[in-house]
Amino acid sequence: MGIRVGFKRATFVVLDKDGKATTDVFVVEGKANKGGTKEATISGISPESVKVYASNVAYYVSAKGTGDVKAEISILDVPEEMTEAVLGRKKHTDGFTLIGERTEAPYVAALLESEDASGQPVLFALLKGKMSAGDVSLKTSEDKPAEPDDEKLTMECIANNDGETIAYGIGSEIAAKLKTYAFPPATPPAG
């Protein structure tokens, strides 16, 4: 996967019941009041290896698929509209947001973008998963300039309809194809 420089952008798309992209698309790329990416860590890419013994020796190593794929993504100033959509929170008619027993996060797909050392785009797509938010904490102001805290979103990933969990690629030519695969367009109704 080579050298990665920076964390340019993250795109999140809510998926419908068929695993197709909806119109709930959120791009976080450092624009005012739209949030900015800070850090992402993807774990569980490789499966846990299991040695199988026979005739008193390690005879076979079982290591197929992925492990427990999870991404922890830090974002500064997550847009409220995105938080509600990807976490399944509901807006009350009086304008405040509700979290409770009926709160259920939808499936989403995420595309994380960086660059390699030569400036070519490097993309990592998490093809299907549900997101959760970190803890909420409030702190008193101190006698120094305030620095905002980033928010952590965790995406627990599963396989998409093709049985794939992660896709990645390097280069401009691959970027558009990877985005289409990660965010499959909804099929228009027949007729």
Side-chain angles (χ1 to χ4, degrees):
M1 289 186 236
I3 296 173
R4 289 167 302 284
V5 179
F7 183 11
K8 183 176 183 175
R9 173 183 309 116
T11 304
F12 302 92
V13 176
V14 175
L15 303 174
D16 67 15
K17 64 180 177 49
D18 299 318
K20 304 295 184 186
T22 67
T23 57
D24 288 331
V25 178
F26 304 94
V27 179
V28 178
E29 59 184 341
K31 292 186 177 175
N33 302 313
K34 301 276 188 192
T37 56
K38 296 276 288 182
E39 183 177 358
T41 302
I42 303 169
S43 60
I45 294 173
S46 296
E48 194 170 311
S49 297
V50 177
K51 288 183 183 177
V52 178
Y53 288 83
S55 298
N56 296 331
V57 296
Y59 184 79
Y60 173 77
V61 177
S62 174
K64 185 177 181 181
T66 64
D68 180 15
V69 178
K70 177 172 40 174
E72 292 187 10
I73 304 163
S74 297
I75 298 174
L76 186 62
D77 192 22
V78 178
E80 189 62 27
E81 182 181 83
M82 177 183 145
T83 300
E84 291 168 1
V86 302
L87 298 177
R89 297 175 177 175
K90 302 296 179 211
K91 185 73 92 175
H92 189 274
T93 56
D94 290 330
F96 50 85
T97 302
L98 299 169
I99 305 169
E101 65 183 36
R102 292 182 304 270
T103 303
E104 183 177 358
Y107 283 110
V108 300
L111 186 67
L112 311 176
E113 299 179 52
S114 183
E115 293 181 342
D116 68 10
S118 66
Q120 287 293 311
V122 176
L123 298 97
F124 291 89
L126 304 162
L127 303 172
K128 186 176 184 180
K130 290 196 175 192
M131 301 197 83
S132 61
D135 296 338
V136 173
S137 65
L138 307 170
K139 293 189 244 180
T140 189
S141 296
E142 297 179 8
D143 191 21
K144 61 182 181 179
E147 185 176 318
D149 292 329
D150 51 312
E151 300 171 65
K152 294 192 184 338
L153 295 174
T154 300
M155 185 173 174
E156 296 282 346
C157 301
I158 63 171
N160 67 4
N161 293 342
D162 294 338
E164 306 298 343
T165 307
I166 298 171
Y168 72 92
I170 300 170
S172 300
E173 292 179 20
I174 290 182
K177 294 174 186 177
L178 182 58
K179 287 177 185 178
T180 300
Y181 184 78
F183 309 136
T187 307

